[in-house]
Each structure stands twice: as structure tokens, then as C-alpha cells.
Amino acid sequence: MFLLIGGYFIFYPEPEGMKRQEIEESLADCYLKDLIDGRLDELLNQDSFSSTQNGKSVDNEEEWEDNGWYTRDGITYTPDYAKGRIDCVLEIPSIRLRRGVYTGTWEEIQYNLDIWMVTVARPDYEYGKTHYCIYGHNHTVQNLSFNRLKDVKQGDLFTLTSAAYGKDTYQVTEIFAEWREIVTENIVDNFELPEDECYIITCGRGENRYKDLVVKGKRIAHQSVEGLKGEAGKDL
């Protein structure tokens, strides 16, 4: 009996964790749909995204109050619980991961990391103009945040899709573990790195539990926003 119960928790994630995963994927999907539909165009010309989320107003909480979203430590997280805005959507097909990457002020980024969101490592990255580093926690719940990043292999592809610059495809060139201080100095804070490099960073586990796990990607293809919208139009 105990073996069966243990096997259940190993192979089947907790329901709340799965619900949280569905929420985060739905937020990413909303962003991609709004990009194609042109709903994000007006927002790109605004100085602040703080009052909107995925192109929708988040002032009215009643819209979400009966949906039974993820609850943890007495807090019910609705689709507007993250601060800042989605900068782009990260997709790693080989590990079935799709998440919005949040940006904002330093305080907003830290807040989002505290509630296990995926964020940029710094608020002063300019997607498409500087190198790009992404933070995400190595959560124990299956596929929640970056716990499957260890399964990525060299040569795998991943994409970043942004309302400002379109869709970039990256190929994984390196996977390594390194001390956080070194990762921060040599990668996260190093603006001499080329703009076609993206680093996905999470905390290590096992023998690397005191280090960061880093997946490095090199951009190999780009598709403009206009191209994405045109491609979507052909499918209609």
C-alpha cells in the first residue's frame, strides 16, 4: 500500500501544482493569441504596462473570483497575480514547457520570483538588442517552472516569442552547472555578450544543489511579428 501511495506522488503531481501549471500556460497562450490578433500593438507604445496583463484590464477582480485558481498559503492566485508584464513567451518543446517570461522593475521581478514565476534576470535587458537571461525556480512539482530543465539536451531547440520583435528560435549549445556568483558576473550582468545568445537559468539539484544549472542557446532563426500574423492568417 505504501509503495502504491509513494508511486502515486512520484509519477502524478499534486492537483494544485497542475492547476498552477495550467494557469501559467494559459497566460502564455493569451499573450500569443493577443499578439496575433494585434491587441498588444497599442500596449507597445505605452510607457507602463502596470495596469494591464496580457492586453486585458486587471482592475476588476470579479471576473476571476469564481474560477477556483491556484491557492497556496491562504493566497488565491488569479491570472493577474503577477506584477509587471510578459516580455515574451518561452517554449521548450523537448520538455513540453511553455511559460510567459515576466519583466518589470527590480521589485516586480523579485516579487514574481517569490511566487515561482518565470522572469527575466534583469529589468534592463532589451529583448532583441542585448543578450537575454531567464530565471525560473527548480520546483519539485512535475513541469512546474524549470524542474525539467535538466532533461534538455545539446542540440534541442527552444523559442522566444515577443510582441515587439517576433519569434526567435535558439539551439542549445551548452548545458552546465556553475556557482551562482560566477553565473551572475560572467553571464547575467555581462552586457558584452552577443545579443543572439539566451541563457535559461535555474537552481541545481543533487550534486549541483549549490550551483546554478544553465542552458545556453544561440539564435539560429528569426520570424517577424508581421510574418507570424501572416502565417496565422493562412491557417484561418
Side-chain angles (χ1 to χ4, degrees):
M1 175 63 70
F2 288 111
L3 288 175
L4 290 175
I5 295 174
Y8 174 85
F9 284 107
I10 290 174
F11 294 106
Y12 296 93
E14 58 175 287
E16 285 190 352
M18 288 298 292
K19 188 64 177 179
R20 166 78 180 258
Q21 173 184 314
E22 292 172 5
I23 294 172
E24 293 188 26
E25 288 182 348
S26 71
L27 291 173
D29 291 342
C30 284
Y31 178 93
L32 294 174
K33 185 177 187 303
D34 287 350
L35 185 161
I36 297 299
D37 292 344
R39 294 174 185 163
L40 299 179
D41 296 347
E42 182 178 348
L43 292 179
L44 291 175
N45 298 320
Q46 297 180 1
D47 293 331
S48 174
F49 288 72
S50 59
S51 63
T52 57
Q53 178 65 38
N54 294 329
K56 302 179 179 65
S57 171
V58 297
D59 294 332
N60 183 6
E61 296 181 0
E62 294 181 358
E63 180 181 359
W64 307 106
E65 64 179 2
D66 296 324
N67 285 335
W69 298 103
Y70 175 76
T71 300
R72 179 175 180 176
D73 299 330
I75 300 173
T76 299
Y77 297 114
T78 62
D80 58 326
Y81 62 83
K83 295 184 178 181
R85 63 179 175 86
I86 290 181
D87 198 34
C88 62
V89 170
L90 166 68
E91 297 181 81
I92 312 178
S94 63
I95 58 173
R96 303 187 302 281
L97 188 142
R98 186 171 69 260
R99 294 288 185 277
V101 180
Y102 283 80
T103 188
T105 64
W106 285 103
E107 291 76 16
E108 288 170 336
I109 289 173
Q110 186 56 58
Y111 171 88
N112 289 337
L113 285 172
D114 287 344
I115 60 171
W116 299 84
M117 302 299 291
V118 175
T119 75
V120 295
R122 297 178 57 103
D124 49 355
Y125 290 141
E126 294 184 71
Y127 181 78
K129 297 180 180 179
T130 64
H131 79 299
Y132 201 77
C133 296
I134 300 171
Y135 279 159
H137 285 288
N138 192 338
H139 200 284
T140 54
V141 177
Q142 182 183 8
N143 202 29
L144 182 56
S145 204
F146 282 175
N147 72 318
R148 285 189 176 179
L149 206 58
K150 61 179 175 52
D151 298 324
V152 172
K153 295 179 174 56
Q154 191 168 334
D156 282 355
L157 301 180
F158 65 89
T159 61
L160 297 180
T161 306
S162 162
Y165 293 100
K167 183 176 183 178
D168 289 322
T169 300
Y170 294 82
Q171 186 169 44
V172 175
T173 58
E174 292 183 58
I175 306 166
F176 58 92
E178 187 53 270
W179 299 108
R180 179 158 302 173
E181 295 80 5
I182 295 176
V183 172
T184 300
E185 179 180 356
N186 293 347
I187 299 176
V188 174
D189 296 343
N190 184 4
F191 282 85
E192 294 183 0
L193 292 173
E195 51 83 23
D196 62 351
E197 290 183 357
C198 177
Y199 298 82
I200 307 172
I201 304 167
T202 190
C203 47
R205 292 197 178 275
E207 62 182 13
N208 292 316
R209 62 186 178 276
Y210 299 117
K211 295 182 177 182
D212 280 343
L213 175 64
V214 181
V215 173
K216 175 184 176 182
K218 190 81 168 177
R219 186 171 63 229
I220 60 172
H222 172 76
Q223 188 175 17
S224 68
V225 174
E226 293 73 18
L228 287 172
K229 292 179 179 178
E231 185 177 89
K234 294 177 182 178
D235 295 333
L236 297 180

